[in-house]
Amino acid sequence: MTAPHLTGTGPGPGTPRPAPPVPDTGSGRGGTTPRASWLIAATVLCVAIPPGTASSADGVQVTVSDLASVGLVATAAALAVTGRTRPSGTAMALLGAVACAAALSTACSPHPLDSLPGYLRVLQIFVLVPLAVTLLVRDRRDFALTAAAVAVVGVGEAGYGIWQAATGTGASYAGRDVRAVGTFGATDVMAMATVAGFAAFVVVAAALLARGAARVAAWAVLGVLAAGLLLSLSRGSWIAAGIGVLTIMVCVSLRLALRAILLVTAALTIVVGGLGVGSATLAERARSVVASVDQPDQSVSDRYGLWQSAVAIWQDRPLTGVGVKNFAGYRDAHSSLAVSFAGETADPVHGYQRQPLLSPHNQYLLVLAEQGVVGVTALLGLLVGLASALGARPRPDDPRWLVGAGFTVSIMVNFLYSDLGGPTSVLFAVMLGLAVNAAFHTFAPDRTPRRPPRLAPAGGPGPIPRPRR
């Protein structure tokens, strides 16, 4: 929008007021400031930096992406204070409810100081970083830059994971170092699969809307991501990524989704069944998904036991819970002896380790135990509100909307058997910000100046008058 042309030297009576200046989108044209979305891309790329083994005394691990997210939030806050961008009221209400619920749980916790680091983590992942991404992604170029960074990280991690599985340098599985874990190592065994799954949403949306060579390249990239996901041997990531990708395809075309299911089934049958590529390991892992209902293995049995522990903890303090980050402190007193309180991991870099199970591996039950009914209501309100807003304005021709829809549906399902934690939490926050942006923010029309219409030369033929009857 441009200010109307005014005549005269001052605003006289009846003269329209000039429109307020359009905020700078950081397009880089005409000496404007660089795009702030570069900070989002840098934060995403930092996720792939190995986190190392250093952590604070309370078990909170600070990664390079966490530090980068501080600059991201500070930049968004500066732009908001100067009035160059402002958030949606509905988005602020949904994200603010999560912050208020976590604050109430921390204040009512039996050990508030122990809950304070957890509260800051909730504020970072569910409120500050998503809100910063929502404010800084202001046009299609900002979204494309952020999405490209997610795709690059996902492809890089998946490619490295494939090399680990092929050379036997990954995490240990059944006595062999064949599990693809990327740069995260066995200490975060599902992180690579999570990153690859998020990248798959971006790549599938691009492949469905692209044409020609770009579409072929996108499908080839998706093949790398799919191979990395399979070799991660992460059953939960398979389900979450598959549901997200299928949601995107159904939104574009139901027929396309059915064809994709048939094609993937045929490809897996040929590669695994016919050629025998990883058939024993993959087949065993795939069968365990179905067997987890009636014949669960030890990891699934531990997960079921921890779910029961979370419900028992919640029953002691049903309204506000035991406080953020306090599940582990109450776990032992509410668990049966059949639950293993630690998992075993090993890889060539970190060696053999026993890692304590600090959460119930169910985000809804974790929030219920630590933040009570207040907290889980706020979390469900955020997810349901986000899904409702995306469903109210379907835009299957917009990659931003497709990525937001696929991510939202995927994470709502994934939270049933998994929870947040580790170095990929910041990437989750960025993806949540993209979904919030797609649900509640409309991009302004392209303000690229159009070429004025060509006028007839002076003295040239003018328009032909219509004859009078």
Side-chain angles (χ1 to χ4, degrees):
M1 173 182 268
T2 57
H5 179 69
L6 303 179
T7 58
T9 58
T15 303
R17 294 182 178 181
V22 176
D24 177 23
T25 60
S27 61
R29 296 189 189 124
T32 57
T33 58
R35 287 182 176 271
S37 54
W38 278 105
L39 291 174
I40 309 177
T43 302
V44 170
L45 294 176
C46 286
V47 172
I49 298 177
T53 58
S55 62
S56 61
D58 54 13
V60 177
Q61 189 179 58
V62 178
T63 64
V64 178
S65 59
D66 290 322
L67 300 178
S69 70
V70 174
L72 179 66
V73 171
T75 302
L79 293 178
V81 169
T82 56
R84 294 171 64 182
T85 183
R86 58 181 180 269
S88 161
T90 306
M92 284 290 291
L94 293 175
L95 296 173
V98 176
C100 292
L104 179 62
S105 172
T106 301
C108 298
S109 169
H111 308 285
L113 292 180
D114 294 341
S115 296
L116 186 58
Y119 167 70
L120 296 178
R121 188 68 163 168
V122 170
L123 204 62
Q124 174 200 14
I125 300 304
F126 282 97
V127 183
L128 295 180
V129 174
L131 191 58
V133 172
T134 301
L135 294 177
L136 297 182
V137 176
R138 292 185 285 178
D139 58 27
R140 290 168 179 80
R141 291 187 179 184
D142 289 333
F143 169 77
L145 182 60
T146 304
V150 175
V152 167
V153 170
V155 173
E157 290 291 342
Y160 185 38
I162 294 172
W163 180 83
Q164 288 175 322
T167 58
T169 56
S172 177
Y173 179 84
R176 297 185 300 158
D177 297 334
V178 295
R179 188 169 189 178
V181 290
T183 60
F184 303 102
T187 54
D188 292 286
V189 72
M190 294 186 296
M192 187 278 290
T194 300
V195 174
F198 290 164
F201 304 153
V202 172
V203 173
V204 167
L208 295 177
L209 300 180
R211 294 291 183 271
R215 170 173 283 188
V216 175
W219 286 121
V221 169
L222 183 62
V224 176
L225 294 172
L229 273 169
L230 283 175
L231 295 174
S232 72
L233 304 180
S234 174
R235 298 165 294 189
S237 297
W238 294 351
I239 298 172
I243 288 177
V245 169
L246 188 61
T247 298
I248 294 174
M249 289 186 172
V250 169
C251 290
V252 174
S253 169
L254 179 59
R255 180 179 299 178
L256 176 64
L258 295 176
R259 288 165 55 189
I261 292 175
L262 294 176
L263 181 62
V264 170
T265 303
L268 290 177
T269 303
I270 294 174
V271 173
V272 178
L275 302 180
V277 179
S279 57
T281 303
L282 288 176
E284 175 188 352
R285 202 63 173 163
R287 283 194 299 268
S288 68
V289 175
V290 180
S292 62
V293 178
D294 54 355
Q295 296 178 343
D297 55 25
Q298 183 61 47
S299 64
V300 177
S301 298
D302 290 341
R303 186 166 304 186
Y304 291 162
L306 291 171
W307 291 359
Q308 296 173 358
S309 303
V311 174
I313 293 173
W314 164 72
Q315 290 173 344
D316 287 347
R317 300 176 66 91
L319 187 59
T320 58
V322 296
V324 184
K325 203 76 177 174
N326 282 347
F327 172 83
Y330 290 83
R331 176 201 59 194
D332 296 356
H334 296 81
S335 300
S336 67
L337 296 177
V339 177
S340 300
F341 295 134
E344 298 178 342
T345 63
D347 64 20
V349 177
H350 302 89
Y352 173 83
Q353 294 185 11
R354 282 182 60 84
Q355 292 183 300
L357 301 177
L358 304 177
S359 69
H361 292 283
N362 181 306
Q363 186 68 26
Y364 302 115
L365 292 180
L366 176 63
V367 173
L368 184 67
E370 294 186 341
Q371 302 181 44
V373 174
V374 175
V376 79
T377 300
L379 175 61
L380 290 174
L382 171 61
L383 297 177
V384 173
L386 189 57
S388 300
L390 289 168
R393 294 189 305 166
R395 300 185 301 276
D397 58 343
D398 182 0
R400 182 177 59 133
W401 183 88
L402 289 176
V403 171
F407 168 79
T408 302
V409 174
S410 169
I411 212 67
M412 292 176 74
V413 174
N414 185 254
F415 277 176
L416 292 171
Y417 51 81
S418 183
D419 50 43
L420 291 178
T424 59
S425 297
V426 173
L427 182 58
F428 165 85
V430 171
M431 295 295 294
L432 179 60
L434 290 179
V436 172
N437 184 278
F440 301 109
H441 287 254
T442 303
F443 286 156
D446 188 5
R447 296 187 179 91
T448 304
R450 296 181 180 180
R451 182 177 299 176
R454 300 181 61 182
L455 303 177
I464 300 176
R466 297 179 63 183
R468 295 181 178 178
R469 293 183 179 178

